[in-house]
Amino acid sequence: MAKKQIGVIGLGTFGSNVAKELFKKGFPVLAIDHEEDIVNKISPFVTQSVVAEATDDSSLKQAGIADCDTVIISMGEDIETSILATLIAKDLGVKNVIVKCVSIWHSKIAVKIGADKVIYPELEMAKKLAQSMASPNILEQIEFSKDHNLVEIIAPKVFWGKTIKDTNVRNKYGINIIAIKRQVPFINNDGQSDIKEETNVAPGPDDEILENDVLVIVGKDENLEKFKKL
């Protein structure tokens, strides 16, 4: 099955990086900005780059936005342009429109006019930085739903040498261990000692947790907060 085409409107730092990363992952990417220099610079790193005004429906239609399955609106601080681009993308029939927002009012307006998802990159980075400083053992945290998160956490010392069954995490802490990541030594093709990461997906009750293992856990926010304090 062919990967869905993604459009990115607004090629500032965030928009350019998103477009490039999606293209690296094999997605057909249509990158759009009103500045020709910016469009030319990103041209080698995306499928297609086009100079077009985000507030001009005929310009965006001609650029091919209507053929995209998903469009990411990334206009920085220009809220008015962001809102108009969102309206046009939905009017052209784009099924999934994601809008980068800079304020709560921006996001409320975007949702009201049809945005399927809003994101706050700066706020998310601030949260991650604060989280990493407050809980250094937390490597990654992803929101699953309103009340549930997925967290990558360095295995607490009290778990070392115990099986998942021994930890009784589900009953005791209300969380589930869905994977265990482990650094494993091996001999590479040059005959040198090296380290690789192995992931035990859906570990069983008798799988052991070792020092330096990374646990991928899922649970309610309140339970995860208690678990982080171990």
Side-chain angles (χ1 to χ4, degrees), residues 163-177:
T163 64
I164 292 178
K165 180 173 59 180
D166 292 336
T167 64
N168 197 25
V169 290
R170 183 177 296 179
N171 294 325
K172 198 171 181 180
Y173 304 104
I175 59 102
N176 288 298
I177 298 174

Side-chain angles (χ1 to χ4, degrees), residues 4-90:
K4 296 180 179 180
Q5 178 163 308
I6 299 175
V8 180
I9 303 176
L11 302 176
T13 301
F14 177 78
S16 294
N17 285 329
V18 168
K20 291 175 182 178
E21 289 301 317
L22 287 168
F23 182 68
K24 285 180 184 177
K25 295 184 182 300
F27 287 94
V29 176
L30 169 63
I32 294 175
D33 198 275
H34 69 284
E35 292 192 21
E36 187 174 357
D37 288 346
I38 293 175
V39 170
N40 290 337
K41 285 180 181 178
I42 203 172
S43 180
F45 307 103
V46 295
T47 311
Q48 184 182 6
S49 59
V50 178
V51 178
E53 290 292 339
T55 57
D56 185 342
D57 56 348
S58 61
S59 181
L60 289 182
K61 185 176 182 179
Q62 187 174 357
I65 281 297
D67 299 323
C68 294
D69 302 280
T70 295
V71 169
I72 300 167
I73 310 290
S74 175
M75 314 309 297
E77 298 294 329
D78 194 342
I79 297 177
E80 182 179 350
T81 300
S82 171
I83 295 304
L84 288 172
T86 303
L87 279 169
I88 292 169
K90 294 305 293 185

Side-chain angles (χ1 to χ4, degrees), residues 1-228:
M1 180 183 296
K3 287 195 174 182
K4 296 180 179 180
Q5 178 163 308
I6 299 175
V8 180
I9 303 176
L11 302 176
T13 301
F14 177 78
S16 294
N17 285 329
V18 168
K20 291 175 182 178
E21 289 301 317
L22 287 168
F23 182 68
K24 285 180 184 177
K25 295 184 182 300
F27 287 94
V29 176
L30 169 63
I32 294 175
D33 198 275
H34 69 284
E35 292 192 21
E36 187 174 357
D37 288 346
I38 293 175
V39 170
N40 290 337
K41 285 180 181 178
I42 203 172
S43 180
F45 307 103
V46 295
T47 311
Q48 184 182 6
S49 59
V50 178
V51 178
E53 290 292 339
T55 57
D56 185 342
D57 56 348
S58 61
S59 181
L60 289 182
K61 185 176 182 179
Q62 187 174 357
I65 281 297
D67 299 323
C68 294
D69 302 280
T70 295
V71 169
I72 300 167
I73 310 290
S74 175
M75 314 309 297
E77 298 294 329
D78 194 342
I79 297 177
E80 182 179 350
T81 300
S82 171
I83 295 304
L84 288 172
T86 303
L87 279 169
I88 292 169
K90 294 305 293 185
D91 191 53
L92 290 175
V94 179
K95 293 181 180 179
N96 187 32
V97 176
I98 301 170
V99 182
K100 175 194 172 188
C101 295
V102 296
S103 70
I104 188 65
W105 290 109
H106 185 184
S107 68
K108 285 183 176 181
I109 295 170
V111 171
K112 286 280 187 183
I113 63 174
D116 299 282
K117 183 177 182 181
V118 294
I119 55 174
Y120 300 85
E122 289 85 358
L123 178 60
E124 290 305 315
M125 286 303 298
K127 285 182 178 179
K128 285 188 175 183
L129 175 59
Q131 179 66 63
S132 68
M133 294 178 71
S135 304
N137 58 331
I138 302 295
L139 304 179
E140 185 65 76
Q141 182 162 315
I142 300 172
E143 185 176 335
F144 250 22
S145 66
K146 182 179 178 181
D147 301 316
H148 289 74
N149 282 339
L150 178 148
V151 172
E152 288 190 4
I153 184 171
I154 298 172
K157 189 174 182 178
V158 294
F159 282 12
W160 297 354
K162 294 183 178 179
T163 64
I164 292 178
K165 180 173 59 180
D166 292 336
T167 64
N168 197 25
V169 290
R170 183 177 296 179
N171 294 325
K172 198 171 181 180
Y173 304 104
I175 59 102
N176 288 298
I177 298 174
I178 63 172
I180 300 174
K181 295 183 177 181
R182 181 172 298 161
Q183 301 296 315
V184 179
F186 75 105
I187 304 299
N188 61 28
N189 294 333
D190 297 325
Q192 302 295 318
S193 296
D194 206 341
I195 299 290
K196 63 180 177 180
E197 182 178 88
E198 291 186 352
T199 302
N200 180 359
V201 180
D206 295 321
D207 285 321
E208 188 178 11
I209 299 169
L210 304 180
E211 182 179 356
N212 297 321
D213 279 354
V214 172
L215 307 179
V216 183
I217 61 177
V218 174
K220 288 185 177 180
D221 293 344
E222 57 194 52
N223 294 336
L224 290 171
E225 287 303 317
K226 293 177 183 177
F227 187 81
K228 292 173 187 177

